[in-house]
Amino acid sequence: DTEGLAIARDGRVFVSVEGVHLVLAFASAGANAVVLPQPDQFLSFGSNSSLEALAIDDQGTLFTLPERSGRLRRPFPVFTYRDGAWSQPFAVPRRGAFLVVGADFGPDGRLYILEREVRSPFGLASRVRSFDVSADHAGDERLHLETAPGVHQNLEGISVWRDGDGALRLTMIADNNFIRFVRTFIVEYALEQ
């Protein structure tokens, strides 16, 4: 159950896997996978609720978050991988029942997190927050987007980039989970400057 994708500047590709709680590394597209070390903390993740989000910063540090924090008021732990070792230097606050489903570093250096909340029978709501991150802290939390239930169905992937006019854009993809009546599509928002 692959979920997150991060591509390093040197062409290395990283993929987070939710079902077995690990991250795969590929030297390049099409190369054989290498399994990164699996810290003990990953083994405590629940089934279908672990490594949904994966991002890489400009220094080549990987960041991953589990889909669930374990409790409604418990922050989401952020795990980083650098120089062959994992650490869990900080967490980001959980706000309501939203769960983490994607992450990316924008060209502004901020960590953007895509979240979704199931609001049956009205569908899924989506939210994007960003943080200024350092080696041991996430601060300056900003809310960029929160949709009403059912607007976009199952958004699970995010890419943050700057267009030719200098505007930051959030490009997100919805996953249909192989359900016929659910659509797979791409949606894009330009952030106000």
Side-chain angles (χ1 to χ4, degrees):
D1 189 7
T2 56
E3 294 288 350
L5 172 69
I7 302 172
R9 287 180 176 221
D10 63 7
R12 288 176 299 150
V13 176
F14 299 91
V15 177
S16 62
V17 183
E18 184 178 42
V20 290
H21 323 307
L22 53 81
V23 175
L24 302 174
F26 301 84
S28 61
N32 290 328
V34 173
V35 179
L36 296 185
Q38 187 180 47
D40 291 341
Q41 297 98 314
F42 285 12
L43 301 177
S44 67
F45 294 149
S47 175
N48 197 34
S49 61
S50 70
L51 303 178
E52 283 267 345
L54 186 67
I56 192 165
D57 70 8
D58 283 342
Q59 289 75 45
T61 301
L62 284 173
F63 290 71
T64 189
L65 296 85
E67 179 179 9
R68 297 178 186 274
S69 64
R71 295 198 177 151
L72 196 56
R73 290 187 174 86
R74 180 182 293 160
F76 294 102
V78 177
F79 295 89
T80 61
Y81 183 79
R82 183 161 188 85
D83 298 326
W86 287 101
S87 64
Q88 197 261 301
F90 58 86
V92 295
R94 183 164 178 175
R95 306 278 185 227
F98 280 90
L99 302 176
V100 173
V101 292
D104 191 26
F105 276 92
D108 56 357
R110 296 179 65 82
L111 176 62
Y112 288 78
I113 298 174
L114 172 62
E115 300 167 293
R116 71 168 173 225
E117 180 184 0
V118 178
R119 294 186 188 169
S120 294
F122 305 106
L124 300 169
S126 299
R127 179 171 72 190
V128 176
R129 294 184 292 159
S130 75
F131 299 86
D132 180 30
V133 297
S134 65
D136 62 357
H137 178 72
D140 189 25
E141 177 182 345
R142 297 179 189 174
L143 175 64
H144 299 284
L145 173 72
E146 187 169 332
T147 69
V151 172
H152 294 307
Q153 295 181 351
N154 190 29
L155 292 180
E156 286 201 281
I158 183 169
S159 177
V160 184
W161 56 285
R162 196 174 302 281
D163 67 19
D165 294 326
L168 281 176
R169 292 192 173 264
L170 308 176
T171 302
M172 296 167 285
I173 188 165
D175 177 9
N176 74 353
N177 286 321
F178 303 104
I179 300 170
R180 242 185 238 168
F181 60 86
V182 177
R183 296 181 305 140
T184 294
F185 61 91
I186 294 173
V187 62
E188 190 169 279
Y189 285 86
L191 299 183
E192 291 184 3
Q193 300 295 313

